[in-house]
């Protein structure tokens, strides 16, 4: 929910109004503490959420691959000794 802070707005009235919305904001981390905030139209919300889930799955897989490779590296080092 967002508040427009316009005087007399019935949606934003202090203690009563809930503000405008709901609206959905996608926060994208660009690294080095940079974050871009992108408003998502209602009709794209589902698609964006599915994409985020796919992104999370990929990131988890890459992390697992990294861990397996680390174990393989340790094993190869052990065998050299
Ligand atoms: Zn308002």
């Amino acid at each position: 929910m967002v508040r427009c802070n316009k005087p007399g707005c019935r949606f934003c009235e202090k203690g009563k109004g809930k503000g405008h919305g709901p609206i959905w904001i996608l926060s994208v981390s660009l690294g080095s503490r940079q974050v871009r905030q992108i408003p998502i139209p209602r009709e794209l919300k589902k698609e964006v959420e599915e994409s985020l889930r796919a992104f999370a799955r990929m990131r988890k897989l890459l992390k697992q691959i990294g861990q397996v490779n680390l174990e393989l590296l340790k094993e190869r080092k052990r065998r050299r000794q």
Side-chain angles (χ1 to χ4, degrees):
M1 305 300 283
V2 285
R3 293 182 181 276
C4 67
N5 292 321
K6 281 176 192 159
C9 174
R10 65 188 177 96
F11 296 109
C12 304
E13 207 177 339
K14 265 211 173 123
K16 287 182 187 174
K18 289 179 175 178
H20 303 266
I23 63 158
W24 292 278
I25 305 288
L26 175 64
S27 290
V28 183
S29 176
L30 302 172
S32 58
R33 291 181 188 175
Q34 271 191 306
V35 176
R36 184 170 293 167
Q37 299 206 308
I38 302 161
I40 303 300
R42 182 187 292 268
E43 68 270 22
L44 291 179
K45 181 174 174 269
K46 205 177 162 195
E47 197 179 320
V48 169
E49 285 172 339
E50 280 166 13
S51 297
L52 286 172
R53 277 194 289 274
F55 181 72
R57 277 197 301 273
M58 286 305 294
R59 194 161 56 181
K60 197 176 166 189
L61 274 176
L62 287 171
K63 203 173 170 183
Q64 286 172 349
I65 290 170
Q67 281 166 351
V68 167
N69 278 323
L70 185 61
E71 290 306 313
L72 287 173
L73 177 65
K74 283 182 193 166
E75 185 59 32
R76 287 182 70 182
K77 281 177 74 180
R78 250 197 307 273
R79 286 184 185 193
R80 284 172 73 230
Q81 286 160 2

